[in-house]
Amino acid sequence: MTRVLEPATEEVLAEVPSAGVEETDAAVARAREAFPAWRSVEPGDRAAILHRLADALEGAVERLATLEARNAGKPISDARGEMGMVAATFRYYAGAPERLLGQTIPVAGGVDMTFREPLGVVGLIVPWNFPLTIASWKLAPALAAGNTVVLKPAELTPLTALEFERIAVEAGLPDGVVNVVAGPGSVCGRRLVEHEDVAKIAFTGSTEVGRRIAEGAAATIKRVTLELGGKSANVIFADADLEQAATAAPAAVFGNAGQDCCARSRILVERSAVDRFMEALEEAVESLRVGDPLDEQTEMGPLISADQRAKVESYVNGDAPVAIRGGAPSGRGFWFPPTVLCPVSNDDRAAREEIFGPVACVIPFRDEAEAVRLANDTIYGLSGSIWTRDGARALRVVRAVDSGVLSINSNTSVRVATPFGGFKQSGYGRELGPDALDHYTEVKNVYYATGG
Ligand code: NAD
């Protein structure tokens, strides 16, 4: 059995059976058996089942949100928003089965046509920071395209995945189409990566484990998509609405207690605006409400574990001075105060490594060219923002920054209908939007000789 903790209290929230290789193999076998029938379900019927699942998830938002808030330590208002997105993701991809279009291509002597075929059994491996949300970004397009799935949640946060499996069966997904194995990554995750009957791995997690997955998948030429770490830049020019940029900055790095791959954890500020920006930022950080995840007013909860807290702490005692430190509860719970380091050099360890906690680095820059150079001076390339009132400059900078998801005068990264994913060591492949379906289908080309 695995003991699942509540990060805000350090109490045991649940005990769940821990799956091993045998259970993983059994889940793959069930998914494999269910595949021929599921891929053959009429597109309209598959769409109807996914709509029913979206209905059921909408009805379960409050229950799932409470479970996720307690297990992941995230504020209930955020968890509610995330569970709404889970339902919306299924609603969006419920429209896909009838729109998986092929092409007809003019060729000599016949007709050439393409079909979008499902891959088979897909292994989904997800992290603990947005447990069911990230799973839904994989589950919904995979199922809509006619694949069957084995989902492996993170060891620390298996509860909403297990609840999802029950909801899916009740909503009418046939047996074996969705299978959840809750167990260690080094055992169940690894087995999925090596398994000959798994056609693809869709992974979200650290760059380090992503690298291991890409290596492991090579043996069976498995398809792989990887959503990995980030160290994104929030680039603020002196001509921006500084008040607005400073008010928005804390949520972009302290949201989910900084345990967010899209965190804009490097705040690049034009030198002449640093003092004004820091003043406004201090006010915004000090007013952040850090506390009980189940309190409706809470904006930031605890970190996920004691290990994570120790890791985050190690970045705060480095070269860069602590300029702002917000409040956090004391006592039980894996609490960590929102912290801003300033000024930071982009060469400091805190600016180079993904901290995955509520620590922001403010890095001053001279001009546009230096801002772009610093934004790109990282192994990662997931997200980022540009704040300026100069529209032409905004467009120049977003084109020059090597990231998969960028925003102008905003810090949002994620929308159900738009593609999400990274450049460089932030991974490959795209989730959400129409692009995700390309990663859950193969193109089949058929030539029909007509003799003409
Ligand atoms: P992690 O890489 O440690 O674990 C992710 C998942 O992989 C877990 O389910 C784990 O059990 C499994 N796993 C571990 N070892 C494995 C192995 N050898 N084979 C197969 N599976 C294995 O990541 P984490 O600590 O759970 O999450 C934090 C990381 O996730 C951060 O680096 C963060 O940036 C990244 N992340 C990325 C995105 C994105 O979309 N780019 C989103 C959220 C989190």
Side-chain angles (χ1 to χ4, degrees):
M1 296 294 266
T2 304
R3 283 162 14 128
V4 178
L5 294 189
E6 189 163 4
T9 61
E10 304 182 35
E11 300 292 334
V12 176
L13 179 58
E15 295 207 18
V16 298
S18 183
V21 169
E22 210 175 295
E23 289 80 4
T24 308
D25 285 352
V28 173
R30 281 195 303 276
R32 189 175 176 209
E33 202 184 322
F35 175 60
W38 179 243
R39 77 177 298 179
S40 307
V41 171
E42 292 294 331
D45 293 342
R46 201 154 67 226
I49 293 172
L50 292 175
H51 275 298
R52 275 209 301 279
L53 179 52
D55 292 342
L57 289 164
E58 275 166 15
V61 161
E62 207 51 43
R63 180 160 50 96
L64 289 168
T66 305
L67 204 52
E68 199 86 305
R70 293 186 69 184
N71 189 185
K74 59 180 73 219
I76 184 70
S77 56
D78 291 354
R80 207 175 276 131
E82 287 175 30
M83 295 308 116
M85 187 189 192
V86 168
T89 303
F90 278 92
R91 186 73 70 201
Y92 177 80
Y93 286 107
E98 293 166 297
R99 294 184 184 83
L100 281 172
L101 307 179
Q103 293 179 310
T104 54
I105 302 170
V107 290
V111 176
D112 200 282
M113 54 202 144
T114 65
F115 296 88
R116 306 271 297 273
E117 304 287 9
L119 305 172
V121 178
V122 181
L124 316 176
I125 304 177
V126 298
W128 43 258
N129 57 340
F130 296 100
L132 192 57
T133 311
I134 286 175
S136 74
W137 299 357
K138 304 178 191 317
L139 286 160
L143 296 171
N147 302 283
T148 55
V149 300
V150 178
L151 166 64
K152 197 211 83 64
E155 294 88 318
L156 297 173
T157 54
L159 300 183
T160 46
L162 292 165
E163 187 60 24
F164 173 84
E165 190 181 33
R166 285 187 279 273
I167 293 172
V169 170
E170 275 169 31
L173 262 94
D175 278 354
V177 171
V178 172
N179 307 273
V180 176
V181 284
S186 55
V187 180
C188 304
R190 192 165 160 198
R191 180 67 185 152
L192 284 175
V193 172
E194 289 170 352
H195 206 298
E196 289 207 339
D197 292 336
V198 174
K200 175 199 162 121
I201 295 289
F203 173 77
T204 298
S206 60
T207 295
E208 187 191 331
V209 174
R211 200 170 288 125
R212 243 175 282 154
I213 285 180
E215 282 167 11
T220 48
I221 317 292
K222 249 182 209 58
R223 278 78 186 124
V224 177
T225 43
L226 300 175
E227 299 287 353
L228 308 175
K231 192 74 193 176
S232 297
N234 187 4
V235 182
I236 298 164
F237 286 94
D239 73 346
D241 180 337
L242 287 183
E243 184 75 29
Q244 200 195 353
T247 311
V253 56
F254 303 135
N256 214 42
Q259 303 165 121
D260 180 350
C261 53
C262 289
R264 272 87 167 147
S265 52
R266 288 185 303 141
I267 308 180
L268 273 48
V269 185
E270 193 167 355
R271 243 172 235 292
S272 61
V274 169
D275 290 347
R276 276 184 298 148
F277 176 77
M278 288 301 285
E279 223 171 275
L281 184 65
E282 184 161 15
E283 208 173 295
V285 172
E286 281 173 358
S287 67
L288 257 184
R289 288 182 292 259
V290 183
D292 178 5
L294 295 180
D295 183 332
E296 293 289 344
Q297 304 306 316
T298 293
E299 294 169 297
M300 190 182 119
L303 292 170
I304 191 73
S305 64
D307 285 352
Q308 191 65 17
R309 183 170 56 189
K311 183 190 155 204
V312 174
E313 183 69 48
S314 77
Y315 289 93
V316 173
N317 302 318
D319 293 338
V322 173
I324 306 172
R325 198 127 217 222
S330 51
R332 286 176 78 78
F334 307 121
W335 305 102
F336 198 92
T339 302
V340 180
L341 308 178
C342 178
V344 181
S345 154
N346 200 54
D347 296 327
D348 288 348
R349 177 172 165 254
R352 301 213 72 76
E353 297 177 11
E354 184 180 47
I355 298 177
F356 228 54
V359 180
C361 296
V362 173
I363 305 171
F365 68 85
R366 234 181 358 263
D367 55 17
E368 183 179 321
E370 190 180 28
V372 170
R373 184 182 65 70
L374 290 170
N376 283 334
D377 183 14
T378 165
I379 59 166
Y380 298 111
L382 187 54
S383 66
S385 298
I386 317 298
W387 295 78
T388 174
R389 287 194 171 96
D390 179 341
R393 170 156 65 193
L395 290 176
R396 279 197 304 276
V397 174
V398 287
R399 294 301 305 275
V401 172
D402 299 326
S403 277
V405 193
L406 288 154
S407 315
I408 299 169
N409 296 334
S410 155
N411 288 327
T412 60
S413 301
V414 173
R415 284 172 208 83
V416 174
T418 62
F420 175 84
F423 282 24
K424 303 196 285 186
Q425 293 191 35
S426 288
Y428 43 74
R430 289 294 177 269
E431 304 205 293
L432 300 172
D435 299 55
L437 292 164
D438 293 345
H439 298 288
Y440 292 98
T441 50
E442 292 276 24
V443 174
K444 182 183 283 170
N445 178 32
V446 176
Y447 174 66
Y448 191 160
T450 55

